[in-house]
Amino acid sequence: MSVRKESLISLEELTKDKILYLLEQAEKFEAEPNRRILEGVVVATLFFEPSTRTRLSFETAANRLGARVIGFSDAATTSSTKGESLKDTIMMVSNYADVIIMRHYLEGAARYASEVSPVPIINAGDGANQHPSQTMLDLYSIRKTQGRLDDLDITLVGDLKYGRTVHSMLTAMRHFSSRFRFIAPAELEMPQEYKEYCCANHIAYTESSEFSYDVINGSDIIYMTRVQKERFTNLMEYESVKDSFILRNQMLKNARPNLRILHPLPRVNEIDQDVDSNPAAYYFQQAKNGLYVREALICHSLGIDI
Ligand code: CP
């Protein structure tokens, strides 16, 4: 099979047209998820960091399209523990697979892999940097529930410093004219570079350390995030901020009827379980949408349209 190399490392490299095209492709996969269009293809999933949703939904996507999957979910079982470099690992796996889906704890690792790899790389999360496939499923979920990506009030809550999903989302939203609120404790506020990115790309935002009723009642989307324990070097600091914001069902009494609550998951304490039965809770469906979006992303990386 002839493979056209089209890596996905950051939303920065996707035009508005390409994003909308991929969302439309994902809609087709939602209508018909089982299509044996990747028979003979081998997909590698290399997870140097833990994952439930991203790895399993990418692997399910590959399986539902008829591809075979190789890879690892624990780098401790690989020759990287013997000192093999990331470059050599990528070169080896590209001997076996047609596309590599990779999560790594180092920011920039996916970009580096794409520069040395003869096969496409899909970034499944690199440190606190980017998580582009998550953003694509977030955009899919927002568009599906709100009917549009423009003219929305989107509130990002929690760990905006280390949360790669919110960083990726801002990169994508430069193409759309929605308004953001950044709600975080001072220690976890949105990094300056992303605030400058918003200014440079005309993304309207306000920021606060208060998760108030005004904020909740004025939101179309509330995007909760977990405080990323694994990114802290000082666990005392983590303990002091880990429960800064907890969304509870009674806080949603006067929310907009179209409000949807998203979360990339996993959650720890930041959404109380009593929210799960609220019609605004959308995070489990959001994760399910990841399957259709990742079917589209794998096909796109291989130059296959449906
Ligand atoms: N949203 C997300 O990346 O979840 P996992 O860490 O379980 O893959």
Side-chain angles (χ1 to χ4, degrees), residues 47 50-55 103 131 134 164-165 264-266:
F47 277 68
S51 167
T52 298
R53 276 144 296 275
T54 309
R55 184 174 67 83
R103 171 171 288 186
H131 194 347
Q134 177 71 45
R164 57 193 171 200
T165 64
L265 303 178

Side-chain angles (χ1 to χ4, degrees), residues 98-127:
D98 301 293
V99 53
I100 296 173
I101 296 157
M102 187 181 95
R103 171 171 288 186
H104 203 282
Y105 48 88
L106 286 180
E107 296 168 23
R111 171 83 56 206
Y112 174 71
S114 74
E115 287 167 3
V116 299
S117 174
V119 303
I121 301 286
I122 299 178
N123 181 7
D126 62 324

Side-chain angles (χ1 to χ4, degrees), residues 52-53 103 225-228 263-270:
T52 298
R53 276 144 296 275
R103 171 171 288 186
T225 65
R226 173 179 67 92
V227 176
Q228 308 264 304
H263 190 312
L265 303 178
R267 73 171 149 183
V268 185
N269 288 327
E270 57 280 356

